[in-house]
């Protein structure tokens, strides 16, 4: 397990957005330094620009050349962009997109090399960051390619009382139905189930699966994806020992407060899961990329161009993203330690002794060995705990 303080890499995101404001506001509270060692991938000059613009108290930043030099009990910053970078608060620009990518690329390289332990990303503009080197819809897809090593990423939005994962992420709504297949839903359920155990410490998690169509397809009258893809996926997941339930119509599920009965919710598309989540947990919500060998979180808001420079941006989501990254990192360490040397399965049946050849058989024992115990079938467990279906 990690003995030194956890190093949290923080990217500056879009330099024309609210990234620096929320970073500086978060680091104003020195208690952060009791939990971790922040390493900002950005620019001390840009940080000073926003501190002056917002008339904020001075937050001491220690400039370092490499994350290897990070000092505990200090806010460290690595200058990854030149001093001549033009800052235009509230404006989208190619320069801002390039600066965001440089920060992200440098932080991810250090994450792979173990120079930082977890990554917290500030918001980017998904349009201006596009280039020959960044052709992804967002952070999630980029990280899957950069550090996934073949593993599939899963977007999870989490708060104190809700965890929402997505089958599809950043794609046009018209393309979603074609991606709702039994195989895709099963894959996401397995990744989500594993994350709830290893990253959040929830054993035998209960996962609600939302429908794609209104009223869960109304028996096929409003769509066929539920009958053809989602329900078979739920049944296959149950066979694999996952406690999956549904499909539930999203409006009634959230409107009736059923989400509180589950450890996780699997939504079919972006706004289906994120709209209700953000309505209930906007300032405290965290975006977590599950399924990858490294921990990455981010605040669940965007660049906030419309409020840049006003001082109105809340730092609570970034603060929670840092806390969550630390918690998930520690949870993974505990889980890895607990499962490092699993006990071998022991049979309750006594081993048969081999008799020497030409030896007379011994008299049959009058008592029989106890029958081997079996775990209850996953289907039976699920059926006994299945909440009432949506009408």
């Amino acid at each position: 397990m990690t003995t030194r303080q956890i190093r949290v890499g923080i990217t500056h995101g879009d330099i024309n957005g609210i990234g620096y404001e929320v970073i500086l506001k978060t680091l104003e509270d020195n208690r952060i330094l009791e939990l971790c060692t922040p390493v900002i991938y950005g620019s001390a000059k840009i940080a000073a620009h926003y501190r002056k613009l917002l008339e904020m108290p001075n937050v001491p930043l220690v400039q370092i050349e490499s994350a290897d030099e990070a000092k505990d009990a200090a806010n460290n910053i690595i200058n990854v962009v030149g001093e001549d970078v033009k800052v235009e608060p509230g404006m989208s620009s190619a320069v801002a997109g390039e600066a965001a990518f440089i920060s992200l690329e440098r932080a991810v390289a250090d994450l792979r090399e173990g120079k930082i332990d977890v990554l917290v990303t500030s918001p980017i503009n998904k349009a201006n960051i596009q280039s020959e080197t960044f052709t992804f819809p967002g952070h999630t897809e980029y990280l899957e390619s950069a550090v996934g090593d073949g593993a599939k990423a899963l977007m999870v939005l989490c708060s104190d009382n809700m965890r929402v994962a997505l089958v599809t992420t950043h794609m046009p709504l018209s393309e979603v139905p074609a991606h709702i297949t039994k195989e895709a839903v099963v894959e996401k359920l397995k990744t989500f189930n594993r994350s709830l155990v290893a990253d959040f410490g929830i054993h035998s998690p209960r996962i609600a699966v939302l429908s794609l169509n209104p009223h869960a397809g109304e028996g096929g009258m409003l769509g066929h994806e539920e009958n053809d893809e989602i329900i078979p996926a739920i049944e296959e997941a149950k066979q694999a020992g996952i406690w999956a339930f549904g499909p539930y119509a999203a409006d009634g599920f959230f409107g009736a407060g059923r989400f509180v009965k589950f450890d996780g919710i699997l939504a079919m598309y972006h706004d289906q899961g994120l709209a209700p989540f953000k309505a209930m947990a906007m300032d405290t919500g965290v975006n977590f990329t599950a399924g990858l060998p490294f921990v990455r979180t981010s605040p669940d808001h965007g660049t906030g161009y419309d409020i840049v420079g006003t001082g109105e941006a809340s730092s609570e989501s970034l603060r929670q993203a840092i806390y969550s990254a630390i918690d998930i990192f520690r949870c993974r360490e505990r889980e890895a330690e607990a499962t490092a040397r699993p006990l071998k399965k022991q049979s309750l049946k006594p081993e048969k002794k081999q008799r020497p050849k030409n030896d007379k058989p011994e008299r049959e024992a009058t008592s029989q060995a106890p029958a081997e115990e079996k775990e209850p079938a996953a289907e039976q467990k699920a059926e006994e705990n299945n909440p009432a279906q949506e009408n």
Side-chain angles (χ1 to χ4, degrees), residues 86-100:
K86 186 177 182 181
V87 178
E88 300 176 278
M91 303 293 292
S92 175
S93 71
V95 171
E98 183 182 8

Side-chain angles (χ1 to χ4, degrees), residues 105-125:
E105 187 179 41
R106 177 70 179 274
V108 167
D110 284 356
L111 184 67
R112 287 195 69 100
E113 294 178 15
K115 294 181 179 181
I116 56 175
D117 299 304
V118 299
L119 175 64
V120 178
T121 58
S122 298
I124 60 173
N125 181 316

Side-chain angles (χ1 to χ4, degrees), residues 334-376:
R334 289 192 294 267
E335 206 260 351
E337 184 179 34
T339 58
R341 294 179 293 277
L343 295 175
K344 294 182 178 180
K345 292 184 177 180
Q346 300 292 327
S347 174
L348 295 179
K349 294 180 180 179
E351 295 182 1
K352 293 183 179 180
K353 295 181 179 180
Q354 292 185 350
R355 296 192 303 272
K357 292 182 178 180
N358 301 324
D359 192 18
K360 293 182 180 180
E362 296 179 0
R363 187 173 55 186
E364 293 289 337
T366 57
S367 61
Q368 294 182 350
E372 186 175 4
E373 296 180 359
K374 295 182 179 180
E375 288 292 327

Side-chain angles (χ1 to χ4, degrees), residues 122-369:
S122 298
I124 60 173
N125 181 316
K126 295 177 178 60
N128 69 26
I129 197 175
Q130 298 298 315
S131 68
E132 292 182 357
T133 52
F134 191 98
T135 58
F136 304 92
H139 278 116
T140 302
E141 295 81 4
Y142 169 76
L143 291 166
E144 179 180 276
S145 174
V147 299
D149 295 333
K152 295 295 184 180
L154 177 68
M155 182 185 289
V156 179
L157 275 290
C158 50
S159 65
D160 289 340
N161 63 349
M162 196 187 312
R163 300 169 197 87
V164 179
L166 305 176
V167 176
T168 62
T169 52
H170 303 112
M171 67 172 55
L173 191 57
S174 60
E175 298 178 11
V176 168
H179 289 81
I180 303 301
T181 64
K182 185 186 79 168
E183 293 73 20
V185 176
V186 170
E187 177 187 285
K188 299 301 183 182
L189 277 171
K190 288 181 177 179
T191 303
F192 196 17
N193 184 76
R194 176 60 186 154
S195 176
L196 290 170
V197 174
D199 300 330
F200 296 94
I202 303 170
H203 295 281
S204 299
R206 296 161 55 86
I207 302 174
V209 181
L210 302 184
S211 64
L212 173 66
N213 298 296
H215 302 288
E218 203 73 80
M221 186 174 70
L222 299 179
H224 60 84
E225 287 84 2
E226 285 72 24
N227 289 337
D228 295 350
E229 310 294 342
I230 299 175
I231 292 175
I234 293 172
E235 292 305 315
E236 183 172 325
K238 288 179 179 178
Q239 293 291 332
I242 297 173
W243 288 29
F245 308 91
Y248 297 101
D251 57 350
F253 181 82
F254 288 106
R258 287 188 173 181
F259 65 90
V260 300
K261 299 179 181 179
F262 295 91
D263 302 300
I265 302 159
L266 183 66
M268 295 298 112
Y269 58 93
H270 188 279
D271 285 12
Q272 181 188 49
L274 269 57
F277 176 87
K278 290 188 177 184
M280 290 183 272
M282 186 63 191
D283 285 341
T284 59
V286 173
N287 183 351
F288 165 54
T289 305
L292 301 182
F294 300 96
V295 177
R296 174 262 174 171
T297 64
S298 75
D300 72 343
H301 57 72
T303 56
Y305 286 149
D306 57 326
I307 59 171
V308 175
T310 65
E312 297 176 15
S314 171
S315 61
E316 188 59 30
S317 187
L318 179 64
R319 186 177 293 106
Q320 292 300 325
I322 293 173
Y323 294 159
S324 294
I326 295 169
D327 288 344
I328 292 169
F329 181 81
R330 288 174 174 165
C331 197
R332 285 189 179 185
E333 282 193 325
R334 289 192 294 267
E335 206 260 351
E337 184 179 34
T339 58
R341 294 179 293 277
L343 295 175
K344 294 182 178 180
K345 292 184 177 180
Q346 300 292 327
S347 174
L348 295 179
K349 294 180 180 179
E351 295 182 1
K352 293 183 179 180
K353 295 181 179 180
Q354 292 185 350
R355 296 192 303 272
K357 292 182 178 180
N358 301 324
D359 192 18
K360 293 182 180 180
E362 296 179 0
R363 187 173 55 186
E364 293 289 337
T366 57
S367 61
Q368 294 182 350

